[in-house]
Amino acid sequence: MESGRYVAVYGAYGHTGRFVVAELRQRGYVPLLLGRDRDKLLALVEAYPGLEARQASVDDPASLDRALNGAAAVINCAGPFASTAAPLVEAALRAGLPYVDVAAEIEANVDTFAHFAERARAAGTVVVPAMAFYGGLGDLLVTTAMGDWTAADEAHIAYGLSSWHPTGGTRASGVVSGQRRNGRRVRFSGGRLEYHDDALPTLEWPFPAPFGPQSVIGEFTMADVVTVPSHLAIAEVRTYMTAKAAADLSAPDTSAPIAVDERGRSAQTFVVDVLVRSGGTERRVAAAGQDIYAISAPLAVEAVDRILTGRTRTTGVASAGAIFDAPDFLRALSPHLSLHVPFDTRG
Ligand SMILES: NC(=O)c1ccc[n+]([C@@H]2O[C@H](COP(=O)([O-])OP(=O)(O)OC[C@H]3O[C@@H](n4cnc5c(N)ncnc54)[C@H](OP(=O)(O)O)[C@@H]3O)[C@@H](O)[C@H]2O)c1
């Protein structure tokens, strides 16, 4: 196996990390199994005899350097990313490797852009934060919906989730983000992140069939408010979440996801419905699939594949829509995602 096929996965034994490891193998890559817990790594190797596991801690840069040795790229699946993103990006920069993560933490994603944009660009390397369901997919959909527009007045990204059984990592990341906001809420308005204490509105969103109209929580702000404005001139970026899924997430006793198929996916279904508006014209595109954690694996691995095969548009810290050909990327995910273009006012 050529060395360019080795991809390091930090947090390999986590729920999302396991999907990423399986997807890499499916695509002909050899995952290097990285994480901080030796026993959990050994248990994962039992499931994947022949794969190499390497223990590394974000508090020990030398251990990260050793762990990345021989890899062609690194995918960071270990969250909260407030703790892991910076040390892993630093290690990737030292090694000259592309870095992709699945961070859904707004402040951690902002930090990645703020702290590493210049150094990554100067090094000619690529850092792609939020290359997952939240942040990455929404950005690819917004970029696709924009078509030949380079600016718009508004982007609306509505998440239709049949349910949300959060993992421990999702819950821990939510706690960390909440602490970083001092319990305040955040939205993207007037071209910037705005912290506030307003109550969140409940409204109805007309999702495409079979979801149909659903009650959603407005200003349920997700990582798309970092990825989309990082490269598109849109002053208002709003995200919405089905009220049912928001209630699942906030309930302390909602169970973790339960696998229902041979790929380990849960029964959760989703549709991400995107609307961009400029003047009086709207453009819209949506994507539907199964399991928000599972879909993050083909998103992250497709990103790495495109980076390693030179199908990129820029270097430095970049979001999915900026660095990849968004419609082409979404088409490549057709085994996992069905695209809906319910109406299109271009013409
Ligand atoms: N953007 C998206 O749409 C999206 C999609 C999927 C996941 N995510 C994010 O990805 C993260 C992981 O989610 P998950 O579902 O895989 O959760 P999970 O199953 O609980 O796994 C969390 C993983 O992170 C590791 N980890 C946590 N803190 C660490 C630290 N300080 N140093 C090293 N490793 C650490 C854990 O290792 P230990 O077991 O040793 O603690 C474990 O491997 C979460 O932040 C989640 O929000 C985002």
Side-chain angles (χ1 to χ4, degrees):
M1 179 63 68
E2 53 194 290
S3 62
R5 305 302 286 176
Y6 286 86
V7 175
V9 183
Y10 194 67
Y13 50 73
H15 187 74
T16 308
R18 287 169 185 268
F19 283 118
V20 169
V21 167
E23 182 69 18
L24 282 167
R25 282 166 52 85
Q26 179 78 22
R27 299 283 301 262
Y29 286 98
V30 183
L32 292 172
L33 310 176
L34 274 45
R36 64 176 169 183
D37 188 305
R38 188 176 299 279
D39 292 340
K40 291 179 185 177
L41 285 172
L42 290 176
L44 189 60
V45 170
E46 276 181 29
Y48 290 112
L51 290 190
E52 189 180 340
R54 299 171 179 176
Q55 186 189 20
S57 163
V58 294
D59 305 320
D60 180 357
S63 73
L64 294 174
D65 292 346
R66 284 193 296 275
L68 294 184
N69 185 33
V74 55
I75 304 177
N76 183 7
C77 299
F81 291 85
S83 304
T84 70
L88 262 295
V89 175
E90 292 279 6
L93 287 174
R94 285 195 297 275
L97 298 181
Y99 167 96
V100 168
D101 75 32
V102 301
E105 293 155 53
I106 290 164
E107 287 77 9
N109 291 327
V110 166
D111 285 350
T112 299
F113 276 96
H115 296 159
F116 296 107
E118 278 179 29
R119 283 169 57 198
R121 197 180 310 112
T125 192
V126 162
V127 172
V128 188
M131 191 57 248
F133 180 74
Y134 295 115
L137 179 57
D139 186 32
L140 290 166
L141 289 167
V142 168
T143 308
T144 298
M146 291 283 283
D148 58 354
W149 291 353
T150 54
D153 300 324
E154 301 163 17
H156 301 268
I157 302 157
Y159 288 101
L161 271 53
S162 61
S163 63
W164 190 348
H165 290 268
T167 61
T170 295
R171 287 196 185 280
S173 296
V175 169
V176 168
S177 292
Q179 287 165 348
R180 293 191 71 175
R181 289 170 203 161
N182 293 322
R184 305 193 79 197
R185 300 191 170 101
V186 63
R187 63 188 165 215
F188 188 85
S189 184
R192 62 182 181 84
L193 286 177
E194 184 179 275
Y195 288 86
H196 68 95
D197 299 305
D198 301 344
L200 299 185
T202 300
L203 51 151
E204 193 174 84
W205 186 271
F207 289 103
F211 267 74
Q214 300 269 338
S215 176
V216 296
I217 308 294
E219 295 177 9
F220 194 97
T221 304
M222 304 307 284
D224 315 279
V225 301
V226 182
T227 54
V228 170
S230 74
H231 67 109
L232 293 170
I234 307 177
E236 304 294 323
V237 180
R238 308 257 167 78
T239 60
Y240 307 78
M241 177 63 65
T242 32
K244 161 87 173 69
D248 287 347
L249 180 65
S250 61
D253 54 351
T254 305
S255 61
I258 297 165
V260 297
D261 68 15
E262 72 290 344
R263 285 153 66 178
R265 295 183 302 179
S266 72
Q268 177 196 49
T269 55
F270 65 79
V271 59
V272 185
D273 192 15
V274 161
L275 170 72
V276 292
R277 189 175 286 136
S278 182
T281 309
E282 292 181 349
R283 292 177 172 179
R284 194 164 180 172
V285 61
Q290 181 180 342
D291 191 330
I292 64 172
Y293 296 97
I295 191 66
S296 294
L299 282 160
V301 172
E302 178 68 20
V304 163
D305 188 63
R306 284 175 184 248
I307 293 166
L308 294 179
T309 53
R311 291 176 291 154
T312 51
R313 296 179 154 173
T314 186
T315 56
V317 182
S319 69
I323 193 169
F324 304 118
D325 176 338
D328 189 64
F329 193 116
L330 290 171
R331 275 193 296 276
L333 290 190
S334 60
H336 309 278
L337 276 182
S338 55
L339 285 182
H340 299 251
V341 186
F343 59 86
D344 185 342
T345 53
R346 269 168 273 193

